[in-house]
């Protein structure tokens, strides 16, 4: 069943908007989700420690990685579809930048065992756990980079497939 270009554009826009919402919620959970506990700061939230430790699980999940790619694949080769395809690249770039910052902040927190001990009285994330989390975060970022590459390829393929032959 073929969808009309308007329907495809609307569907792609909704998919892209959902991805943006998930990324923004993760950013908000990380930077602005401080609880009343004084130990709850951006570094502990990045590492997944504290009362508001949802940012990692929200950002490093399938939704913000897959939805932009689906939006790029669904978008028609018309002008609004090409705008959506270009917007997917911006969404992936934002995801990668935020993901790198979140992963590095979490790693910094995990590698600072002495700081954790002094500030919180115990070590929540040791060096081994910090390395494991960093490796998993890198996997999600690589998946996002692969999605970005496929989204770029999908956008270019649609543009060239609609071009008329020059006689």
């Amino acid at each position: 069943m073929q969808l009309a270009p308007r329907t495809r554009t609307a569907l792609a826009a909704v998919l892209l908007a959902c991805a943006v919402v998930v990324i923004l919620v993760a950013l908000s959970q990380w930077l602005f989700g401080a609880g009343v506990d004084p130990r709850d700061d951006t570094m502990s939230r990045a590492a997944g420690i504290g009362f508001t430790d949802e940012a990692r699980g929200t950002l490093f999940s399938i939704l913000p990685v897959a939805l932009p790619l689906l939006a790029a694949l669904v978008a028609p080769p018309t002008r609004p579809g090409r705008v959506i395809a270009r917007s997917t690249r911006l969404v992936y770039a934002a995801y990668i930048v935020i993901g790198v910052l979140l992963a590095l902040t979490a790693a910094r927190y995990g590698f600072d065992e002495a700081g954790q001990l002094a500030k919180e009285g115990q070590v929540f994330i040791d060096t081994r756990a910090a390395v494991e989390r960093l490796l998993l975060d890198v996997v999600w970022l690589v998946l996002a980079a692969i999605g970005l590459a496929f989204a770029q390829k999908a956008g270019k393929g649609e543009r060239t497939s609609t071009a008329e032959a020059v006689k």
Side-chain angles (χ1 to χ4, degrees), residues 3 6 15 17 22 28 55 67 69 86 95 143 153:
L3 296 175
R6 277 191 158 156
L15 290 170
V22 170
S28 173
L67 289 177
L69 179 60
R86 279 192 297 265
Y95 177 88
L143 289 174
K153 190 173 184 177

Side-chain angles (χ1 to χ4, degrees), residues 4-17 68 70-89 154-155 158-159 162:
R6 277 191 158 156
T7 305
R8 289 177 63 188
T9 301
L11 181 60
V14 167
L15 290 170
L16 194 59
L70 289 174
L73 294 174
V74 168
T78 59
R79 180 165 165 42
R82 289 192 303 267
V83 169
I84 289 173
R86 279 192 297 265
S87 298
T88 60
R89 291 180 229 145
E158 285 182 354
R159 279 196 302 271
T162 59

Side-chain angles (χ1 to χ4, degrees), residues 4 12 21 36 42 47 54 68 76 101-102 134 149:
V21 166
V36 295
T42 56
E54 306 277 330
L101 292 174
L102 184 69
L134 185 60

